[in-house]
Amino acid sequence: MSLVLLAHASSHLQNASRARLGLTSLPLTSQLHALLLQMQKFGLVSTVLVGGPTPPPPSSLAPTMSPNPSGARAEGTGHVAGWGPQGWGNGGYGLGNEGEEEEEEDGTVTQANIASRRLWVGLKYHNSIPVLERMRLVSKPTRRVWMPYADLDRLVKGERRGHVRGMRAVGEALYLTSDRGIMEVREAVERRIGGMLLCRVNGLREF
């Protein structure tokens, strides 16, 4: 994942949440899509939709859950829906391979069309307080932080590892990327795998 893009996305989501926006959008990449789906699974955002440059209709903004697309590719299962002119479809605005043409019921998706795809993210609030309070990088473009399973296990238990502090706050999530895809650090510990730490997200402590 591009850490520069992730830094911009983290800042954008944090600022949009503080501005009390209900919906915002980000550039579409498979890695960012996978991260947002994991955040949705953790309850930090309400909706993650793949669409065009204009906001999707309100009827499509009900909270939905989709599997991690990278995990689906690895396991050969899962489904990622997209919003297009004909409504929901099987990857109508999905993530095709670069240079690959995809045939739709309403015509061919061109390279210019694919480039205009956006990730539309519904933000969550509780009593007008943002659920997503803070989002910041752990790895930086100039310093990537890799950790094996043993160090991740200690992080989850609240111990500091290097310059990365342990997870002690309520509603806190830590995400990493590995050869099994992007996931929350607790899931990585359960699966006994390591990876590169991406970002730390602090959610609302009390609901």
Side-chain angles (χ1 to χ4, degrees), residues 51-53 85 92-93 104 106-118:
Y93 288 126
E104 293 295 315
D106 58 341
T108 301
V109 178
T110 65
Q111 285 298 320
N113 197 347
I114 292 176
S116 69
R117 299 304 92 192
R118 303 284 294 179

Side-chain angles (χ1 to χ4, degrees), residues 20-72:
R20 305 299 196 273
L21 298 183
L23 184 69
T24 190
S25 71
L26 293 166
L28 174 60
T29 69
S30 58
Q31 295 88 357
L32 191 55
H33 190 193
L35 174 62
L36 287 168
L37 290 176
Q38 288 295 318
M39 291 174 61
Q40 182 189 25
K41 180 180 177 180
F42 198 78
L44 294 166
V45 298
S46 63
T47 312
V48 179
L49 302 178
V50 178
T54 57
S59 60
S60 68
L61 296 179
T64 58
M65 186 66 66
S66 301
N68 185 328
S70 58

